[in-house]
Amino acid sequence: MRFRSIHFSLLFISITSFSLLLLLLLVTADTRSPKNVQTALRAKWSGTPLLLEASELLSKQQQHYFWNFIDIWINANDDANPDANANAKYCVKKILEHGRSLLTEPLASIFEFSLILRSASPTLVLYRQLARDSLSSFPLFHNDNEIAEIKKNETQLDPLRVGVSVESPGGKCCWVDTGEHLFFDVDELRSWLQNNHDHQKVGNSFQSPPVFEFDHIHFDSATGSPVAILYGALGTNCFKEFHVALLEAAKQRKVKYVLRPVLPAGCDAQIGPCGSVGVSESVNLGGYGVELALKNMEYKAMDDSAVKKGVTLEDPRIEDLSQEVRGFIFSKILDRKPELASEIMAFRDYLLSSTVSDTLDVWELKDLGHQTVQRIVRASDPLQSMQDINQNFPSIVSYLSRMKLDDSVRDEITANQRMIPPGKSLMAINGALVNVEDIDLYMLIDLVHQDLLLADQFSKLKIPPSIVQKLLSTLPPPESDMFRLDFRSTHVHYLNNLEEDGKYKWWRSNLNEILMPVFPGQLRQIRKNLFHAVFVLDPATTYGLESIDMIMSLHENSFPVRFGVVLYSSKYITQLEDHSTKEDGDKFAGDISDMIIRLFSYIKGNYGIEMAFKFLSNVNKLRIESDDNVEDAHLEQHHVESAFVETVLPKVKSPPQEILLKLEKEPELKELSQESSKLVFKLGLSKIQCSLLMNGLVIDPNEEALMNALNDETQRIQEQVYFGQIKSHTDVLDKFLSEAGIQRYNPRIIADNKPKFISLSMFTFGEASILKRINYLHSSGTMDDLKPVTHLLAVDITSGSGIKLLRQGLNYLIEGSKDARVGLLFSGNQTTNLFSLLFVKVFEITTSSYSHKKNALDFLDQLSSVYLQKYIRTPALEVDGTQAFIDEVCKLAESNGLPSEGYRSSLSEFSADEARRHLSEVEKFLFTALGSESGVNAVLTNGRVTSPIDESTFLSADLHLLESIELKKRTKHIVEIIEEMTWDDVDPDMLTSKFISDIVMSVSSAMSMRERSSESARFEVLSDEHSAIILNNENSSIHIDAVLDPLSPTSQKLSGILRVLWKYIQPSMRIVLNPLSSLADLPLKNYYRYVVPSMDDFSNIDSSINGPKAFFANMPLSKTLTMNLDVPEPWLVEPILTVHDLDNILLENLGDTRTLQAVFELEALVLTGHCSEKDHDPPRGLQLILGTKTSPHLVDTLVMANLGYWQMKVAPGVWFLQLAPGRSSELYIFKEDDDGSKNKQSSKLITINSLRGKVVHMEVVKRKGKEHEKLLIPDDDDDLQHKKKGSGWNSNLLKWASGFIGSNEQSKNAESNSPENARGGRHGKTINIFSIASGHLYERFLKIMILSVLKNTHRPVKFWFIKNYLSPPFKDLIPHMSQEYGFEYELITYKWPTWLHKQKEKQRIIWAYKILFLDVIFPLSLEKVIFVDADQIVRTDMGELYDMDLKGRPLAYTPFCDNNREMDGYRFWRQGFWKDHLRGRPYHISALYVVDLKKFRETAAGDNLRVFYETLSKDPNSLANLDQDLPNYAQHTVPIFSLPQEWLWCESWCGNATKSKAKTIDLCNNPMTKEPKLQGARRIVAEWPDLDLEARKFTARILGDDLEPIQSPDQSKDSTNEDSLKEDLESKAEL
């Protein structure tokens, strides 16, 4: 940069000249002392020990590191004397040193950063919840009063018990929970372990405590042993004793040892000095942004009350002086001239505060984006430079705009912007795109961490770094691949052929017709077989015959689809399943289905297909005619015979009955029938009652699903016709089935949701390398080939289903597979007999010595058949001895050409103990990998888990299906990379096909575990010579590609995040800068800090942690600033400690205080989800509740129609999500609980153990018999429904729905604070009033509004306030005000959904909260609410408005009055767009409105308003007054009842003539005079000064403020000028 080339040394020639220069500058400078702003954010829960957080983080790397760390810590601290000087910094370094010893770089650095980021703290909060549950299930340890008191305190203010710690029971810090006992004493535990082991065989009846997926189970634990859960903290003495005892017991297979790290309150004294670091104070969080936005001040609206003094936090640290300020690096200047420190710092303060710009001339803005890029790219540290610029933009902008721009920069940016829109931001990690809008530090660290873990695993497999990078960057084919079932066969009977039948000869045959537009719902009549709808059905079932009627009806109406059927007999298929490994078809006696199929084939062969279909139709007709009850009509044989006679009679010469008798004995027809059933069995469709294949896609066999599938398929065909992939001669069915055809349908394998995967690399090459010892089986002649797919069959040798699975695996190889191998994992149980062990031994001998022999597979299959018959189905007596079994083996071996002597000698030397030991190792592996106890049958295909196995339908064909899917979707691209690789560090003798196959299995299974997008972008097409930041690190396995607009809110956040990544893991980065090319306004009007922790946050004096914090040094004094937090999506935060108005920060008013300080709190995390119902719209209005096992209902919500979205407030813990009692759970259950009966109560386990919240995708299904009932019953049906069942939509709500989304928080209990007991003795139905305020001035107005309502209303009143924007002082005051004046209140909140277009200005967000979430922000029990603006004064009884009949409309507003003629020029709704849109309807004001919530929810008004908002808000020029424009725009769809004019009067629009009739007065802004709010209030509303005085006196009395002298009403008339000076400017429209 040229500016830098000035030789600063000239300034230092003489001290005097430099001092003079400074003095000259300071003469003109603002001499007021500079001011700073500091912000911190802490978690609601109490502190968690850093030591325990470290062990949790290590378990994320590998589970056994958790246990290794415990051993290291115990051993390291055994002999050492506790260090008296153990401060926080010392302890963190010590913890890191021990933790890092287990890890390699860069995983060690990620561990360090995650630890100081405190990202494992929520996991420890979860364990606290489980510890509380453990203690409360044994109430002996608390007395009843204590429990009642705890429960009362917990639920009153904190329904989710976020802030509650675990009290140490009787001073004990550790205990063991076995479900039957709690042990606080190690000796008692030891004696229980001894006795329990002795009596273990008897079996215990007590319930074991539940063990979860996230639990730490010691790797020596035996599966099936009793569970013992230790609650305690590493570092306490009791922990060591319990740990040693349980470790010993686990090794002796006595218990399953589970550890849940918990440090109960009061135990910090009993723990070593480093064990308690982090416990004494709340957890301070990082990973969020803070902005100070320059506020646009059109109207004067700032409170003139003085700020209360007295709240101070610790002194903030001084800002980093190494950052450049206007070309000066002050740290260097201070090094050279320390004696001039005060003058130099004054000069710096002047530079920082004197150049704040919130406007620039148009010509200065023209090249601003390009100038910024040049400044960043040419800096010595470009990332630092980008962060400095976009985080301090208002102070730097004028300097940037004067830089000379190089043409090379401009040209490159212009060239790049031909390929990407200006200002567009994108980012990818190792090739996979991430959403730059939603990205946060925690998400990014997780994404990077999973790739670093993979890189670490791959490097241990000796894969070179360049290939690791290639593997990590490769993207699998898109997930949305369609799987089509290849059903082509002679057994498909087509009813019609669109290309040949005369019926369609008038249709056009031009394929391009499909591209022509048609009316919605209209089908194109094209004479080509584009759509094949093939029904697979059993013709003897009601469902099957009804489908035939549907086909006939659609065919008669010339539906443009080729219809076909495949017929099968369910009974025959059941027989096939029982004998699936050998043909027993000849023994089939036949049934009605078989008879119908044979007759159908006969008629088709002799009289044509239409007659055959008519026969099926006649069968159904006769079935229905024979029974009055159509639904239950049963099919008899005589119906079929009569239908046959009726169908063929007109065509035959001999009597039909004779033909019938002849056909019964016809073997050819019988064979055809059986072949048809076998086809269905082979295709895997027999388990579905009736299925429909649309060009091979399996869909539900009903008309609605057929139409939906037809529309979807039309779009796919249109696309291929357009691109020339389908031409006039193309056979569409052949094309689709050959491209994406599969041979078998199994919904378990072809599921919509992602299957479960486990990583096998650790088990193949790691410490627990059980898979390394496996000898695999191969199809004949393929043993030496590379096998991309590995099936591991987990077989329980003591069960028939296990042996059946084994035989299917062997048959699969006998049938032939060139791309796959099979490995066998045999498991048993404690009682596994000697025969089973010998059976396993035979397999071991065969696979290790004879697997290359031709008949080895046949031998094993025959052996399995014998074993199944003789030793499983008919348990052999041990007396028969093992010799008979060995003889049987040798006999079979000989008959298959295998050497029997080899078997005999090996089996006679066989050791049963060794075999049992091997079985238990496999059990341990299956438990670690699958989390299942013994007795499991499963298939692991390259890490993909298929379990449990349904023995009757899982066939060798399913293994072929798994092979083809896994090869295509997840393995092929990996094999291609590995085959090209050169193995430099591997012994050539080791490079066998088995070794490479093991590598492929390990890599593909590990990579399938990754959570990442399958989308990518071609970043390489963008040039990067003059406009990109490039940071190369060839050794890094992480590569970040990004395109960023450096002057955007996204870049403000990302520049901070990318700097952290660079500091800790040095990924290679290529960031192409993409600024907006022509700016009309400043792109950033704020200061921004991204808060990240550092080692400096840890004290080196005591054990405290003082950070991290956002620090803004030398902010502009005379500009009004607004503070906003930019937090990760799942966080709900609120300010808890600040005396200043964070909406209107004017630093010149701080007085002597140098730093304005604010503390926010992470109040809760947001659990969000999407709920769907297959083939239907989302179940709008479905009610959900969330809680624990003991308190199932703590929070509730309902499902929106928009994307089926729902959200709830949660805390770290284990929660259960259920459908709410009442209509929701009567109609629906969760799909995964659907066991066929559809009658059980559904609940879903939700684990929250990180700061990233959770998104839950769930599907619900209607219960049996309720398929046609509606969830929402309109009012007219409601009474009827109540009479019938009492289960209307609102029934049961009042019992349970008062806790919606945290609304319990401050809810006043009706008994303790009932309105009748309150002052003023209010009676009658409660009136609910809702309001929103932000900033001290509007909170002052809100208090006055409350008083005006209470003084004029005689019924009980409950106020609802949106919590998000209230200041801490107001939240402190409102409980006292409620008590004093006798009203109820509740604080409510709702997190803005991610899918809804976000507003950027705080003011517009507040407006949006007034209208967008009315259906979900209140408890479901609330039926009506009135919104009253904070700056309104009420002069009448609000009961009149509350009881008003709204004529069935969900909303009621007052129209704008029009009698103040001066304002005609501002009435925009009288002209242009609004005049045309309203079509004579009034335009209403949004300061007061009534919401009939019952009608609002019933009519989906909230969903409709959100749809309108989403459409309109993307245009920055629409919805200028969002809260007002939106309901007025939508009133054609969401009707508004117009209230009488007197309900809302405001001077600006109404004029003084109607003021005397006004029932409420609103302090509207006047766009003509721009009069300040306070001034207008005192002038317009006579009672306002008295109400204000009362509110201020009350506030002073409660909060202890000094009451300032307040003007009397008379004085206020003369004080206009004085007010104008005191007040600041605020946002341009009213709240």
Side-chain angles (χ1 to χ4, degrees), residues 48-51 86-88 91-92 118 273-279 1098 1103 1105:
T48 50
L50 218 62
L51 178 62
N87 54 55
C91 285
V92 173
R118 311 298 300 274
C274 287
S276 60
V277 171
V279 175
F1098 297 89
S1103 66
I1105 305 170

Side-chain angles (χ1 to χ4, degrees), residues 585-586 594 598 601 661-675:
D586 300 338
D594 177 58
R598 282 186 281 144
S601 305
L661 287 168
K662 228 185 266 176
L663 292 179
E664 268 182 37
K665 300 183 178 73
E666 184 67 57
E668 198 178 311
L669 290 177
K670 185 177 183 182
E671 194 180 324
L672 269 176
S673 163
Q674 292 185 2
E675 288 298 325

Side-chain angles (χ1 to χ4, degrees), residues 730-830:
T730 309
D731 182 325
V732 172
L733 186 67
D734 279 356
K735 181 181 190 306
F736 280 172
L737 294 183
S738 52
E739 283 174 1
I742 51 172
Q743 301 307 308
R744 179 171 167 82
Y745 176 75
N746 184 332
R748 290 282 303 285
I749 296 170
I750 305 162
D752 297 335
N753 46 353
K754 193 181 172 191
K756 181 182 172 184
F757 283 93
I758 57 166
S759 171
L760 298 174
S761 71
M762 180 173 104
F763 301 109
T764 315
F765 294 98
E767 292 170 22
S769 55
I770 184 163
L771 303 185
K772 203 168 191 174
R773 300 197 296 274
I774 286 185
N775 291 301
Y776 291 92
L777 291 168
H778 306 259
S779 284
S780 183
T782 66
M783 193 170 172
D784 297 328
D785 301 345
L786 162 64
K787 297 293 168 63
V789 177
T790 302
H791 297 294
L792 292 171
L793 268 51
V795 174
D796 174 11
I797 46 165
T798 59
S799 71
S801 53
I803 302 305
K804 278 190 177 178
L805 171 62
L806 172 61
R807 293 195 66 197
Q808 292 297 345
L810 293 168
N811 282 326
Y812 158 72
L813 291 176
I814 292 166
E815 287 158 19
S817 164
K818 66 178 193 310
D819 287 322
R821 57 184 185 162
V822 169
L824 300 172
L825 293 166
F826 291 112
S827 66
N829 52 37
Q830 269 77 32

Side-chain angles (χ1 to χ4, degrees), residues 303 444 459 502 523 557 563 639 845 899 986 1188 1200 1375 1503 1515 1626:
D303 195 6
L444 201 67
S459 62
L523 297 169
N557 290 316
F563 290 104
H639 296 144
I845 298 162
V986 181
T1188 59
M1200 289 181 184
D1503 292 316
D1515 175 1
E1626 210 221 19

Side-chain angles (χ1 to χ4, degrees), residues 640-686:
V640 179
E641 291 168 351
S642 306
F644 178 77
V645 170
E646 190 179 318
T647 309
V648 301
L649 194 60
K651 301 273 181 184
V652 292
K653 290 173 185 167
S654 58
Q657 287 83 348
E658 285 180 21
I659 301 173
L660 263 175
L661 287 168
K662 228 185 266 176
L663 292 179
E664 268 182 37
K665 300 183 178 73
E666 184 67 57
E668 198 178 311
L669 290 177
K670 185 177 183 182
E671 194 180 324
L672 269 176
S673 163
Q674 292 185 2
E675 288 298 325
S676 185
S677 293
K678 281 178 190 170
L679 171 71
V680 175
F681 180 55
K682 183 172 149 260
L683 290 174
L685 294 172
S686 53

